Each structure stands twice: as C-alpha cells, then as structure tokens.
Amino acid sequence: MNADASNPIPTIIFFIYLSFFPLIIASRNLKHSSDSQLYDDDSITYIWPLPSEFSFGNQTLAVDPNLSLAVSGNGGGSAIVKEAFERYKLIIFKHHSKLSKFGVSYDIEKLNVIVHSANEELQLGVDESYSLLVDKRDEHSIIGEITIEANSVYGALRGLETLSQLCAFDYGTKTVQVYKAPWYIQDKPRFEYRGLLLDTSRHYLPIDIIKQVIDSMSYAKLNVLHWHIIDEESFPLEVPTYPNLWKGAYTKWERYTMEDASEVVNFAKMRGINVMAEVDVPGHAESWGVGYPDLWPSPSCKEPLDVSKNFTFDVVSGILADMRKVFPFKLFHLGGDEVHTDCWTSTPSVKQWLQDHNMTGNDAYQYFVLRAQKIAASLNWTPVNWEETFNTFPTKLNPQTIVHNWLGSGVCPKAVAKGFRCIFSNQGVWYLDHLDVPWSTVYYADPLEGITDASEQKLVLGGEACMWGEKADASNVQQTTWPRAAAVAERLWSNKESASSGNTTLTALHRLEYFRCLLTRRGVQAAPVTNFYARRPPTGPGSCYEQ
C-alpha cells in the first residue's frame, strides 16, 4: 500500500501503522482488496463509493454507543466535524439507543479525528482525502481506537461517512459491530466535481425536501448541488433588487426567500457540499416577464429575453449581484442552452435592433451569452455554460468558461482540446429523468471517454447526474434520483479500474443493492436497483437486497 505523494496525509499514526503493518497482517490474517478476493462471498466490501485503497481482517468489533470524540490538529476546533459526529452517531446507533444492553464489553470506545487545516472554506478542489483505521487494543496493535485523519474538515466528513457504512447493528447481540476488522482505508476522490442537478422550476421542492436530497448526496460523497432554481415555467426565487420577478412563481406559497437560499447553502456546507446556482439565459426565461413584461420581446413571443434592451441586462446584473451575497461557490451556471432566436427575428423592434447592429440571430445569441459572462466575471464568478455555447462560438467564450456537456458524447474531448474545462452530463447516460436507462449504463459511463492525453484529462473537472423536474416533485424526487445517482457517484469518486473490474453481477451490483438498502434505512426513498424503469416499486414480495 503506497501513500500518494501528490496528496500526503502526513501523520505519525500513518507511519507507525505502516511500521507495524506486517505484524498486524500476520496476527489478523489481513486480507487485501485484490480483484480476485474482493467479491468472494465472505469478503465482499459493502462500501459505496469504493475507497481508493483498503485492507481488512477477519475480526468483529463491538462499538460503544457512548463513543467519544477527540478532535486534534489545526482543525481540532471545527464545529463542522463535531456536528457531523453527532449526526452520524444518530445514524450508527439508531437501534442501539433503544435496545442497549448493560454489562457489554466494547472493543471500540473512542474516535480520534485529526484535521491538519483549520481552513473551512469550501470551494472546488478542496482536499477531501482521508485515512481511516479501525482496530482494537491488544498485544499486536498500538492503536486502540478508530482514527480518521484528513487534511481538511471535508476529508474528515468523508471518513465519517465511510465509518458509518462499516458499522452495522447486530440484532442477536443488540450491539453495533464492525465486521472484518481491522480496517485500514486510504481514500481520495477521482474527480473534484461530483454533482447532482436539482430542478425546482418545473416543480417546486420545499426546503425540507432539498435538505433531504443534500443529506442523501453526502451519503454517496457527492459534493456539488447544481441548483437549477428558475426556468421558463416558474421563477420562485426572491430577488430584492427586482422584487416583481418572483411573481413568476406558480403560487405565493411556492417561493424561496433569500434566507431560504442561504439556509440551503449553509446546510450543504456542513455536509461538504457546494451549491452552484443557475440562471439560464437568454432562453428558458419566459417566467421572468410575468413580473417585468418588458423583458419579453413581445406579449406573444416571450423568449429568449429581449436582447435589444439594456433593461434586460440590468435585470440580469441585479439578479446575479443579489445571488452573489448568498452563493459563495466560485462557479455559477449561466445556462445558454436551447436558444431559439425566432422571437428576435420576428419581433419588429428587436429585428430592427439586429439590423442596426448588423447582427444575425446567432450573433445576438453570442452577444447575450458573452455579456452575461462579463457580468458574472465582474462578481468574481467562473461562468459555466451548457455545451451549445461552445458548439456555436467556441473561440469567443471567456477562456475560463467551464463547458457543461449534455447533448451527447464527444463534447468534452473537443472542449478540453481547446483548453476549456468540462463537466460531463451526457443525457443518454446521466439524465435521471430518462427512466429507461439502467443502472449499469449509468455506472459504466465515464467522463474521460475519448480523452487520452493526461493534460487534457485534468481539464475534465468531473461530472453530474441531472434530476430534471418535469415529472418529479416532492412525492417522487428521491426514488427517481436514487440509486442511479449512486452509480454516478462511484464513477466520480472511485478509481475506475478497482471499482468496475470483474463481472458486473458479482461486483458493483451487489454493493449497489446493499447501498440502496442503506439509503432506505436512513429514510431515503431509493427505488429498487434493477427495475427496467427507474423509480418503479417492487414487482412482488422479497428482500430489499434482491429487488
């Protein structure tokens, strides 16, 4: 097992553990995660997403329900870690708190968390690596507690999630157990951007539902919520500078205040998740004109937004300036997809403006996107745009633009070849509203497909599963999202070779079924894994693990 020189976890514990590693192997019959052993019936590793490197033994350890926490290092005072520990204790000891037994001898009574940095800023590329050791004190082991070590608090959060998946309630002893101990895990994500798009325009989602989705994202180690807040159907967000905009909400009860948005951002940060907001311009914006009809080219032709008026860009600027106060993530999505310029070329006033400026409809499309990018850049945001902007005028885009692929394969290879960064969301594999896409198709898609040059591969930030809301609301958004979003999550976190090697049925499927049941135990309405259509209920009686 080799430490990654490019991303070290520099601790005494790590090197001491390596020094004693041969002795522990000899005494515990420690098994390594080779391809041939990992998925044997007695050694399948039910961790999702699969860690980078890990080893395990053959012992079962009992965990004290009064597990104590000791946090050290420069980040030892972190409220994020302490709150996460209490949150995970409620998950791990959910049964034990009701059925605890007196006089039980516990092997593990303490959790040590070592965080090397006190910096809690959450941005793209934050260090999420961690190491995790679970062992008990005896004559062969110098470490008697669980130890999580990370460079950042967000790496510590990922370690806590992995630990929670190792802990299982035993109904016979009525204790929480860790099977196949001792465990040593050294883990880090494959991609820095691991996202889920949530659409709250096609159907409004209450704040509590959004929080439930964020919680479930943390269980799969996803780290970016792409909040597609507004679209042509509704404008639910408060914009103090232009207060009539949210007249475009479906009803007065289906709205988000700025305080709501801030609450979502803070809730997500406590789980190591960035929130990237989207204002899709100039198309997909008909709802804007409910409050400000002058934004429409005409009362009968309502989108794209009127490119000929400075007022349009004043509103865009006001929206972004207000949102910048709430959304600290450095990436901001400006949409730019599916822009049909017929309203511009058929509305006399706009048509005249185009002629005066010697522009075609496509020229005006470019003009609008680039002007919106300048507004975002002036607010210290990095613009993200759907791929149509790159497909139409790649040489004109802000060079910092992140191209968001969705229409099909082959876009990221073209984008990175021209020096742009790219996010992969090919609709044929990672659009969750496509209910007939099976989990295996989702799982084996790869953001680096067609990209062999190492320097170009680095420009692929990662990818994102997209949960569009045309046919999903609070009643079914979770079972449409999960478990297929978990297949995306492992592709983005785990080493491709170790996660997908071997026969599908004997490897990923068993672990995904187990993870789906873990989600349901935690209150997430995750659908069966192998139904032909996603989110369909079971077809008959049976175990959660064989649906």
Side-chain angles (χ1 to χ4, degrees):
M1 186 179 300
N2 296 318
D4 183 358
S6 67
N7 191 11
I9 307 260
T11 97
I12 295 175
I13 290 177
F14 174 71
F15 291 108
I16 291 178
Y17 184 82
L18 291 184
S19 300
F20 281 80
F21 198 53
L23 183 60
I24 297 175
I25 292 174
S27 65
R28 301 296 181 87
N29 189 27
L30 195 65
K31 299 177 183 178
H32 289 274
S33 55
S34 67
D35 293 341
S36 61
Q37 292 177 323
L38 179 58
Y39 300 106
D40 291 343
D41 289 343
D42 63 345
S43 64
I44 188 167
T45 302
Y46 292 113
I47 304 174
W48 194 281
L50 198 67
S52 303
E53 300 178 55
F54 58 94
S55 51
F56 54 91
N58 58 9
Q59 294 196 350
T60 298
L61 306 181
V63 185
D64 191 340
N66 295 313
L67 186 70
S68 63
L69 172 68
V71 187
S72 60
N74 292 331
S78 172
I80 292 176
V81 173
K82 292 173 183 176
E83 182 179 307
F85 173 71
E86 296 300 327
R87 194 165 64 242
Y88 276 108
K89 275 187 75 173
L90 293 176
I91 291 173
I92 294 169
F93 300 106
K94 180 179 180 179
H95 287 92
H96 201 291
S97 61
K98 298 176 182 177
L99 302 171
S100 57
K101 298 176 69 174
F102 297 100
V104 175
S105 176
Y106 296 105
D107 302 299
I108 297 172
E109 298 178 343
K110 185 178 181 181
L111 169 62
N112 290 312
V113 178
I114 305 165
V115 181
H116 293 294
S117 173
N119 185 359
E120 294 184 350
E121 183 181 10
L122 181 60
Q123 289 293 348
L124 190 69
V126 69
D127 192 336
E128 297 175 90
S129 64
Y130 68 92
S131 64
L132 170 63
L133 175 65
V134 183
D135 202 358
K136 73 174 183 179
R137 189 183 307 278
D138 63 18
E139 67 270 22
H140 297 299
S141 176
I142 62 167
I143 303 173
E145 305 102 355
I146 301 170
T147 300
I148 294 173
E149 183 172 4
N151 289 324
S152 77
V153 295
Y154 303 108
L157 294 185
R158 307 305 175 222
L160 281 167
E161 173 56 40
T162 298
L163 172 62
S164 74
Q165 293 188 27
L166 292 178
C167 294
F169 182 73
D170 184 288
Y171 284 84
T173 63
K174 297 182 180 177
T175 59
V176 171
Q177 312 258 342
V178 175
Y179 300 106
K180 295 187 288 189
W183 281 92
Y184 181 73
I185 295 172
Q186 191 172 9
D187 199 10
K188 64 177 182 178
R190 180 185 177 206
F191 291 103
E192 60 186 347
Y193 185 108
R194 306 180 308 281
L196 173 67
L197 178 147
L198 197 62
D199 174 7
T200 59
S201 174
R202 274 53 180 260
H203 282 100
Y204 174 84
L205 295 176
I207 291 296
D208 283 350
I209 298 297
I210 296 175
K211 288 181 177 180
Q212 289 172 19
V213 172
I214 291 170
D215 263 331
S216 63
M217 289 174 65
S218 71
Y219 303 151
K221 298 187 174 74
L222 293 172
N223 71 344
V224 179
L225 175 68
H226 174 180
W227 192 358
H228 189 88
I229 308 177
I230 56 182
D231 209 291
E232 63 188 74
E233 290 84 1
S234 74
F235 197 116
L237 181 68
E238 176 187 20
V239 178
T241 303
Y242 290 95
N244 290 341
L245 281 170
W246 69 354
K247 286 185 177 180
Y250 288 123
T251 66
K252 63 182 180 181
W253 301 284
E254 295 169 290
R255 291 174 170 177
Y256 304 109
T257 65
M258 279 298 185
E259 291 79 9
D260 289 333
S262 182
E263 185 179 342
V264 168
V265 168
N266 292 333
F267 185 89
K269 180 180 180 179
M270 298 301 288
R271 288 147 183 82
I273 296 172
N274 284 295
V275 179
M276 177 179 70
E278 178 177 357
V279 173
D280 195 347
V281 293
H284 290 277
E286 179 179 336
S287 62
W288 298 34
V290 176
Y292 296 96
D294 284 349
L295 294 170
W296 290 331
S298 74
S300 60
C301 208
K302 299 180 179 180
E303 63 180 16
L305 295 168
D306 193 334
V307 68
S308 70
K309 295 176 181 174
N310 284 328
F311 175 67
T312 300
F313 296 96
D314 291 341
V315 173
V316 172
S317 181
I319 294 171
L320 267 58
D322 283 348
M323 295 180 74
R324 196 64 175 104
K325 300 170 186 176
V326 175
F327 294 97
F329 192 39
K330 291 181 180 178
L331 275 56
F332 191 88
H333 209 299
L334 290 168
D337 62 316
E338 298 181 317
V339 177
H340 307 293
T341 60
D342 292 351
C343 273
W344 291 344
T345 56
S346 64
T347 300
S349 61
V350 182
K351 183 178 180 180
Q352 184 62 51
W353 184 88
L354 293 175
Q355 293 175 351
D356 292 344
H357 290 79
N358 196 27
M359 285 188 188
T360 65
N362 277 342
D363 293 334
Y365 169 39
Q366 173 185 307
Y367 167 80
F368 200 118
V369 168
L370 297 185
R371 191 163 173 182
Q373 286 194 334
K374 287 182 180 179
I375 295 170
S378 72
L379 294 166
N380 197 30
W381 261 325
T382 298
V384 184
N385 282 98
W386 294 110
E387 67 174 73
E388 286 96 326
T389 59
F390 170 79
N391 297 339
T392 308
F393 41 90
T395 62
K396 302 297 183 180
L397 286 173
N398 182 321
Q400 294 302 311
T401 301
I402 297 170
V403 178
H404 194 167
N405 153 248
W406 75 276
L407 282 170
S409 60
V411 174
C412 281
K414 293 177 183 177
V416 299
K418 292 185 178 294
F420 290 102
R421 290 173 291 174
C422 193
I423 295 170
F424 177 88
S425 289
N426 184 342
Q427 65 172 335
V429 290
W430 283 6
Y431 266 35
L432 301 176
D433 57 316
H434 293 194
L435 301 181
D436 58 347
V437 178
W439 77 269
S440 56
T441 299
V442 177
Y443 186 75
Y444 287 107
D446 192 83
L448 297 185
E449 179 184 5
I451 305 172
T452 56
D453 182 85
S455 61
E456 292 181 357
Q457 288 181 343
K458 291 180 181 179
L459 294 176
V460 179
L461 299 181
E464 175 179 290
C466 296
M467 184 60 262
W468 296 105
E470 282 87 348
K471 296 184 179 180
D473 67 3
S475 70
N476 62 1
V477 66
Q478 287 282 59
Q479 54 263 52
T480 315
T481 302
W482 305 103
R484 290 183 303 158
V488 173
E490 178 155 292
R491 176 58 61 241
L492 294 172
W493 179 279
S494 306
N495 296 329
K496 183 180 179 183
E497 294 75 15
S498 62
S500 59
S501 58
N503 181 277
T504 302
T505 303
L506 297 179
T507 58
L509 177 56
H510 288 333
R511 290 188 302 106
L512 183 56
E513 288 177 326
Y514 187 90
F515 183 72
R516 178 256 172 166
C517 297
L518 178 144
L519 290 175
T520 62
R521 290 198 303 272
R522 294 185 182 184
V524 180
Q525 296 90 357
V529 175
T530 57
N531 279 4
F532 180 75
Y533 285 106
R535 81 182 182 200
R536 288 284 178 87
T539 56
S543 166
C544 174
Y545 301 92
E546 296 179 356
Q547 297 288 351

